[in-house]
Amino acid sequence: MKRDANCPLCGAKIPPSAWLDACDELVDSEGGILAARCPACQGRLEVLPQAGRLQLGFRNGARFESALDIDYPGLAVTLSDGRLCLRADGREWTFVEDAD
Protein backbone atom coordinates (compact mmCIF):
# COMPACT_ATOMS: atom_id res chain seq x y z
CA MET A 1 0.00 0.00 0.00
CA LYS A 2 1.29 3.46 -0.85
CA ARG A 3 2.34 5.71 2.00
CA ASP A 4 -0.13 8.37 0.83
CA ALA A 5 -2.98 6.10 1.99
CA ASN A 6 -2.14 6.83 5.66
CA CYS A 7 -4.72 8.62 7.80
CA PRO A 8 -3.72 12.29 8.14
CA LEU A 9 -4.89 12.19 11.78
CA CYS A 10 -3.27 9.01 13.15
CA GLY A 11 -1.08 7.60 10.36
CA ALA A 12 -2.95 4.27 10.05
CA LYS A 13 -2.75 2.63 6.62
CA ILE A 14 -6.26 2.68 5.19
CA PRO A 15 -7.21 1.70 1.62
CA PRO A 16 -9.43 4.08 -0.37
CA SER A 17 -12.44 1.74 -0.27
CA ALA A 18 -12.28 1.69 3.55
CA TRP A 19 -12.43 5.50 3.55
CA LEU A 20 -15.65 5.33 1.54
CA ASP A 21 -17.00 2.65 3.90
CA ALA A 22 -16.23 5.05 6.78
CA CYS A 23 -18.33 7.85 5.27
CA ASP A 24 -21.67 8.28 7.01
CA GLU A 25 -23.20 11.50 5.68
CA LEU A 26 -23.37 13.76 2.64
CA VAL A 27 -22.59 17.10 4.31
CA ASP A 28 -22.41 19.25 1.17
CA SER A 29 -24.56 18.07 -1.72
CA GLU A 30 -23.42 20.87 -4.04
CA GLY A 31 -19.74 20.05 -3.55
CA GLY A 32 -20.17 16.30 -3.03
CA ILE A 33 -18.42 16.35 0.35
CA LEU A 34 -18.86 13.45 2.78
CA ALA A 35 -18.34 13.21 6.54
CA ALA A 36 -16.18 10.30 7.67
CA ARG A 37 -14.68 8.80 10.81
CA CYS A 38 -11.25 7.16 10.54
CA PRO A 39 -11.69 3.40 11.06
CA ALA A 40 -8.50 3.32 13.15
CA CYS A 41 -8.56 6.41 15.40
CA GLN A 42 -12.24 7.42 15.04
CA GLY A 43 -11.14 11.00 14.23
CA ARG A 44 -13.60 13.02 12.15
CA LEU A 45 -12.73 14.47 8.77
CA GLU A 46 -14.33 15.10 5.41
CA VAL A 47 -13.88 13.31 2.11
CA LEU A 48 -14.15 14.87 -1.33
CA PRO A 49 -14.43 12.08 -3.92
CA GLN A 50 -13.34 12.94 -7.46
CA ALA A 51 -12.86 10.79 -10.54
CA GLY A 52 -9.87 8.57 -9.80
CA ARG A 53 -9.05 10.00 -6.36
CA LEU A 54 -10.16 10.96 -2.87
CA GLN A 55 -9.23 14.11 -1.01
CA LEU A 56 -9.28 13.97 2.78
CA GLY A 57 -9.50 17.22 4.72
CA PHE A 58 -12.06 19.81 5.80
CA ARG A 59 -14.27 22.55 4.42
CA ASN A 60 -13.00 26.03 5.13
CA GLY A 61 -15.87 28.31 4.17
CA ALA A 62 -16.54 27.68 0.49
CA ARG A 63 -13.14 25.99 -0.04
CA PHE A 64 -12.08 22.43 0.66
CA GLU A 65 -8.68 22.21 2.39
CA SER A 66 -7.07 18.92 1.44
CA ALA A 67 -4.76 17.28 3.99
CA LEU A 68 -4.23 14.15 1.89
CA ASP A 69 -4.79 13.16 -1.74
CA ILE A 70 -5.27 9.41 -2.36
CA ASP A 71 -5.26 7.88 -5.84
CA TYR A 72 -8.25 5.61 -6.43
CA PRO A 73 -7.97 4.36 -10.03
CA GLY A 74 -11.35 3.60 -11.56
CA LEU A 75 -13.38 5.65 -9.07
CA ALA A 76 -16.41 7.08 -10.88
CA VAL A 77 -18.37 9.93 -9.27
CA THR A 78 -21.92 11.02 -10.14
CA LEU A 79 -23.57 13.91 -8.30
CA SER A 80 -27.15 14.82 -9.16
CA ASP A 81 -30.20 16.17 -7.28
CA GLY A 82 -28.70 15.79 -3.80
CA ARG A 83 -27.52 12.23 -4.51
CA LEU A 84 -23.86 11.21 -4.69
CA CYS A 85 -23.09 7.86 -6.32
CA LEU A 86 -19.59 6.38 -6.31
CA ARG A 87 -18.40 3.25 -8.13
CA ALA A 88 -15.06 1.43 -8.08
CA ASP A 89 -13.73 -2.12 -7.96
CA GLY A 90 -17.18 -3.62 -8.54
CA ARG A 91 -18.62 -1.80 -5.52
CA GLU A 92 -21.06 1.09 -5.23
CA TRP A 93 -21.67 3.68 -2.51
CA THR A 94 -24.69 6.01 -2.53
CA PHE A 95 -25.20 9.02 -0.29
CA VAL A 96 -28.35 11.12 -0.23
CA GLU A 97 -28.75 14.61 1.11
CA ASP A 98 -30.57 14.70 4.45
CA ALA A 99 -34.04 16.28 4.07
CA ASP A 100 -33.73 18.37 7.28
Side-chain angles (χ1 to χ4, degrees), residues 42-94:
Q42 298 301 302
R44 298 290 291 170
L45 48 83
E46 294 174 330
V47 177
L48 175 58
Q50 298 175 320
R53 70 186 189 143
L54 298 175
Q55 289 187 47
L56 305 172
F58 297 96
R59 286 174 294 162
N60 183 4
R63 291 178 27 144
F64 186 85
E65 299 288 335
S66 180
L68 178 67
D69 222 356
I70 301 173
D71 288 335
Y72 196 170
L75 178 64
V77 178
T78 306
L79 179 62
S80 178
D81 298 324
R83 183 181 193 88
L84 177 64
C85 297
L86 308 169
R87 275 187 234 104
D89 302 325
R91 296 189 58 196
E92 186 171 321
W93 298 264
T94 301

Side-chain angles (χ1 to χ4, degrees), residues 1 4 6 11 22-24 27 31-33 37 39-40 43 48 51 53 65 69-70 74 76 82 87 98:
M1 184 178 313
D4 67 353
N6 291 4
C23 292
D24 57 10
V27 293
I33 299 172
R37 187 175 298 272
L48 175 58
R53 70 186 189 143
E65 299 288 335
D69 222 356
I70 301 173
R87 275 187 234 104
D98 193 2

